Amino acid sequence: MSVIAAFYGGKSILITGATGFMGKVLMEKLLRTSPDLKVIYILVRPKAGQSLQQRVSQMMNCKLFEKAKEICPNIFEKIRPIYSDLTKPDLGISKEDLEELLTHTNIIFHCAATVRFDDPLRHALQLNVIATQQLLFMASQMLKLEVFIHFSTAYSNCNLKHIDEVIYPCSVEPKKLIDSVEWLDDSIIEEITPKLIENRPNTYTYTKALGEMVVYQERGNLNIAIIRPSIVGASWQEPFPGWVDNLNGPNGLIIAAGKGFLHSLKATPKAVADVVPVDLVINLTLAVGWHTAVHRPKSILIYHCTSGSLNPCLWTDLGFQVLATFEKAPLEKAFRRPNADFTTNNFSTYLWNTISHMAPAVMYDFYLRLTGRKPRMAKLMNRMLKTISMLDYFINRSWEWSSRNTEMLMSQLSNEDQKLFDFDVRHLNWLEYTENYCLGIKKYLLKEDMAGIPAAKRHLRMLRNIHYLFNTVLFLIIWRFFIARSQMARNVWYFVVSLCYKFLSYFRASSTFRH
Ligand SMILES: CCCCCCCCCCCCCCCCCCCC(=O)SCCNC(=O)CCNC(=O)[C@H](O)C(C)(C)COP(=O)(O)OP(=O)(O)OC[C@H]1O[C@@H](n2cnc3c(N)ncnc32)[C@H](O)[C@@H]1OP(=O)(O)O
Ligand SMILES: NC(=O)C1=CN([C@@H]2O[C@H](COP(=O)(O)OP(=O)(O)OC[C@H]3O[C@@H](n4cnc5c(N)ncnc54)[C@H](OP(=O)(O)O)[C@@H]3O)[C@@H](O)[C@H]2O)C=CC1
């Protein structure tokens, strides 16, 4: 019997961010491996015109939960959605719901956050810091709470090269900042944001660092652990390979490469793609929850969940594996043939952005206009270039994360738990993982049918022919232009034509001779 699975049996578990990428996988694994858990409270806000119940049933009816439903048939009874908006006072939770949570909750997994890189500081602070503070306050009143697991990111201290499993001090006290933004005007906050985040690239990494500090300062007697994953990618094995449902991290650019939008990307040749599969992160999280509750460490332990030091994969290798997969299983309705390369300096990046991104988009928009349709490609390209500029910082640098706590935990698991909750990234085969990742994007994110692959391949062949035709016509036009204007070009042209003629005559003569 798995010790970890048994630990979650009979427990009342509170998850924030359960409708997010990691939250769903966490919930799925809990229901599949500990179907005898008592209840999972999930804090949800209504969204896109859907009520709480509608959102939750739509989520639970997705393919991700199919296996869990077989093992835990009464899955809907195990989930108790609770209305909450984390940006509201007291997290927007009603008095009755709060009472229930305070009385019953045994375990908290705090996943909710804004992960946008361009969020205004006020909003990022509200979700990643103030909501965490409020949740800690609520946790401190819980009668049966055994453990509080906080999700941070390995990049919360990306201003450092080597990052240890410790909480680093922030230059501004989180509480002082929270007080200040209450009365500061939005325009002033925007002005001081670059000064506050200093050498971090965005408000996300900055507020995640502040969030950790708040956890440390307001820990009281709570039994807390912090998980710091790097870039979380599609599932590796569970509940099936390749599951992914959003455009974050590398996903958007993988699609852009597969659809033929992305043709060049600046990446330092030796920079490591520190991607970790979502199921591996969740396995570590559940192991940490068990360990922290049972062993009650004296201080807050931080667990890095990264791949670079134990099983590194470079962005360049990952990129070429992505292209190789889309060669075998192309995405439907590609704009151009997937054929991308990495650039290493700003000049070549600018050049290729102009030639292979903006120029085809502008030409295609011209064609759309000519055929009476609305141009849209240049807008899409600009959006992709904006995304690339936001991710540039992470693709062109490498970090070292120590992982002593994660390794210590691995050594404490039983043989069965090491298999059921495998978080050893050394077991990952990158080639196989990347292939499943791309196929997962095709199937689960873009909802493309694998039966459409022959048609997608035909479409790519047609694009290749258009490409050759276009290049030939372009060459002839340019050449005609030169010939008309320069004697030198005409001389070269006559020389080449006479050479070809002599070559052909020689071949014809030698083949006649042989017969
Ligand atoms: C040469 C071969 C290449 C082969 C491929 C190689 C791939 C290499 C990829 C390298 C990626 C490196 C990634 C590093 C990430 C480090 C992460 C640190 C880890 C974390 O802790 S947090 C989790 C990560 N968080 C994110 O990734 C969020 C990033 N996104 C944003 O902040 C915003 O979305 C962004 C980029 C600022 C764009 O904002 P905006 O322009 O306002 O657009 P919207 O988000 O509102 O969306 C509008 C529209 O675009 C679609 N969308 C959203 N995101 C993407 C995306 N990444 N790519 C493409 N399209 C995207 C979205 O669905 C919307 O569509 P609509 O139809 O609704 O308009
Ligand atoms: N994905 C990654 O690559 C990494 C993620 N992390 C961390 O892991 C955690 C989970 O990330 P991930 O699952 O990817 O993020 P998602 O963006 O997929 O999910 C965020 C979750 O937070 C919820 N949320 C956001 N705002 C509110 C609000 N105002 N009220 C209530 N709920 C809200 C969202 O709810 P709704 O559905 O209503 O929007 C959603 O459930 C985060 O803490 C993140 O910092 C760390 C490293 C890497």
Side-chain angles (χ1 to χ4, degrees):
M1 174 65 182
S2 154
V3 179
I4 298 178
F7 165 74
Y8 289 100
K11 295 279 160 58
S12 300
I13 301 161
L14 169 62
I15 303 181
T16 69
T19 50
F21 177 50
M22 306 250 265
K24 276 183 233 172
V25 180
L26 170 64
M27 212 160 48
E28 191 280 336
K29 177 94 186 199
L30 271 169
L31 290 162
R32 187 158 44 83
T33 50
S34 305
D36 57 337
L37 60 80
K38 193 166 167 204
V39 63
I40 302 183
Y41 296 113
I42 58 175
L43 300 192
V44 193
R45 54 178 171 170
K47 208 178 182 185
Q50 286 184 308
S51 68
L52 281 201
Q53 276 308 336
Q54 282 168 329
R55 276 198 83 186
V56 174
S57 32
Q58 189 183 42
M59 173 173 77
M60 304 299 290
N61 282 327
C62 84
K63 188 174 162 60
L64 179 73
F65 289 94
E66 277 175 8
K67 258 191 195 164
K69 276 186 197 156
E70 281 168 25
I71 293 167
C72 180
N74 55 343
I75 200 165
F76 282 96
E77 289 160 31
K78 299 275 181 184
I79 307 293
R80 163 102 161 78
I82 289 189
Y83 173 88
S84 165
D85 184 339
L86 299 181
T87 56
K88 300 251 166 77
D90 299 327
L91 308 178
I93 304 175
S94 73
K95 263 205 170 130
E96 301 74 54
D97 287 339
L98 184 63
E99 199 57 44
E100 184 171 348
L101 291 176
L102 295 185
T103 319
H104 298 291
T105 308
N106 302 115
I107 298 157
I108 297 180
F109 292 105
H110 179 34
C111 300
T114 168
V115 301
R116 287 185 69 94
F117 294 159
D118 62 344
D119 245 350
L121 183 61
R122 185 192 293 284
H123 187 248
L125 206 61
Q126 186 74 51
L127 264 161
N128 297 347
V129 188
I130 301 173
T132 303
Q133 198 181 34
Q134 291 203 54
L135 191 66
L136 284 162
F137 177 67
M138 196 170 116
S140 69
Q141 302 167 65
M142 288 179 174
L143 305 173
K144 295 183 186 162
L145 191 72
E146 295 171 42
V147 59
F148 183 115
I149 303 294
H150 175 74
F151 275 87
S152 185
T153 162
Y155 296 98
S156 54
N157 301 291
C158 57
N159 50 329
L160 306 173
K161 261 234 55 73
H162 177 91
I163 301 158
D164 279 318
E165 293 151 306
V166 295
I167 296 174
Y168 291 92
C170 303
S171 52
V172 175
E173 256 302 296
K175 277 187 213 149
K176 284 192 184 150
L177 190 59
I178 293 168
D179 290 344
S180 317
V181 297
E182 255 175 44
W183 58 268
L184 280 175
D185 200 49
D186 279 349
S187 60
I188 298 175
I189 299 178
E190 201 180 319
E191 216 165 285
I192 60 170
T193 299
K195 292 200 177 71
L196 288 168
I197 66 176
E198 288 177 323
N199 43 5
R200 284 189 179 81
N202 51 44
T203 52
Y204 169 69
T205 49
Y206 177 61
T207 52
K208 289 302 276 188
L210 291 178
E212 289 184 6
M213 184 47 89
V214 158
V215 168
Y216 177 72
Q217 289 174 339
E218 319 236 335
R219 65 194 181 284
N221 294 323
L222 292 171
N223 195 21
I224 305 182
I226 296 178
I227 315 277
R228 282 189 191 151
S230 46
I231 301 167
V232 184
S235 62
W236 167 33
Q237 336 187 76
E238 287 182 272
F240 46 82
W243 186 79
V244 60
D245 80 339
N246 70 24
L247 286 163
N248 287 343
N251 309 350
L253 291 192
I254 291 178
I255 295 175
K259 292 270 186 192
F261 288 106
L262 180 68
H263 275 247
S264 71
L265 184 66
K266 190 172 149 231
T268 309
K270 290 268 171 288
V272 171
D274 211 300
V275 175
V276 276
V278 62
D279 46 339
L280 190 143
V281 180
I282 295 308
N283 286 346
L284 170 70
T285 304
L286 292 174
V288 169
W290 156 76
H291 185 268
T292 314
V294 171
H295 295 276
R296 303 189 70 84
K298 283 196 191 75
S299 58
I300 296 179
L301 291 190
I302 292 160
Y303 295 86
H304 283 158
C305 190
T306 58
S307 57
S309 53
L310 294 172
N311 185 4
C313 172
L314 305 184
W315 281 119
T316 40
D317 293 338
L318 188 125
F320 293 126
Q321 284 163 25
V322 166
L323 295 174
T325 308
F326 287 138
E327 181 120 13
K328 286 190 266 177
L331 296 183
E332 288 169 12
K333 295 184 194 143
F335 171 55
R336 291 175 66 203
R337 281 182 314 141
N339 180 18
D341 209 347
F342 289 96
T343 54
T344 45
N345 63 61
N346 288 339
F347 177 71
S348 58
T349 308
Y350 175 77
L351 191 72
W352 287 116
N353 275 347
T354 313
I355 296 174
S356 57
H357 292 146
M358 284 323 287
V362 170
M363 275 190 270
Y364 189 74
D365 278 352
F366 181 64
Y367 161 74
L368 288 178
R369 259 185 235 274
L370 280 183
T371 51
R373 284 173 286 175
K374 203 174 158 216
R376 60 191 157 86
M377 212 43 84
K379 197 172 160 205
L380 260 171
M381 273 305 170
N382 277 324
R383 188 176 276 174
M384 184 187 80
L385 294 180
K386 177 186 167 192
T387 300
I388 293 176
S389 72
M390 295 266 169
L391 301 182
D392 177 85
Y393 181 93
F394 301 95
I395 316 171
N396 286 285
R397 284 174 178 74
S398 290
W399 289 265
E400 277 168 31
W401 288 276
S402 58
S403 56
R404 226 174 302 150
N405 289 339
T406 309
E407 284 167 41
M408 169 280 293
L409 181 59
M410 215 179 287
S411 69
Q412 298 210 4
L413 299 196
S414 67
N415 285 342
E416 187 169 0
D417 279 337
Q418 283 187 7
K419 285 194 199 110
L420 192 60
F421 296 92
D422 186 4
F423 54 86
D424 190 342
V425 78
R426 285 168 296 199
H427 298 160
L428 186 77
N429 174 333
W430 282 106
L431 217 78
E432 191 182 75
Y433 175 67
T434 312
E435 189 165 311
N436 286 329
Y437 196 152
C438 295
L439 295 179
I441 284 187
K442 182 174 169 65
K443 288 189 278 188
Y444 311 119
L445 186 54
L446 299 176
K447 313 257 187 267
E448 290 186 6
D449 195 337
M450 295 302 269
I453 289 179
K457 283 189 173 168
R458 276 198 301 280
H459 179 71
L460 289 192
R461 275 199 294 275
M462 186 194 71
L463 290 177
R464 186 197 53 195
N465 294 341
I466 293 176
H467 178 74
Y468 287 155
L469 185 71
F470 178 82
N471 281 0
T472 312
V473 171
L474 192 68
F475 174 77
L476 290 176
I477 292 172
I478 293 173
W479 192 235
R480 185 72 194 80
F481 175 82
F482 272 116
I483 283 182
R485 275 160 197 263
S486 139
Q487 182 60 45
M488 172 100 135
R490 274 197 292 276
N491 291 345
V492 173
W493 177 242
Y494 293 136
F495 176 73
V496 173
V497 169
S498 66
L499 209 66
C500 290
Y501 182 73
K502 277 184 195 154
F503 195 65
L504 281 174
S505 311
Y506 169 78
F507 258 106
R508 214 179 299 148
S510 63
S511 68
T512 318
F513 182 72
R514 254 188 268 129
H515 286 116

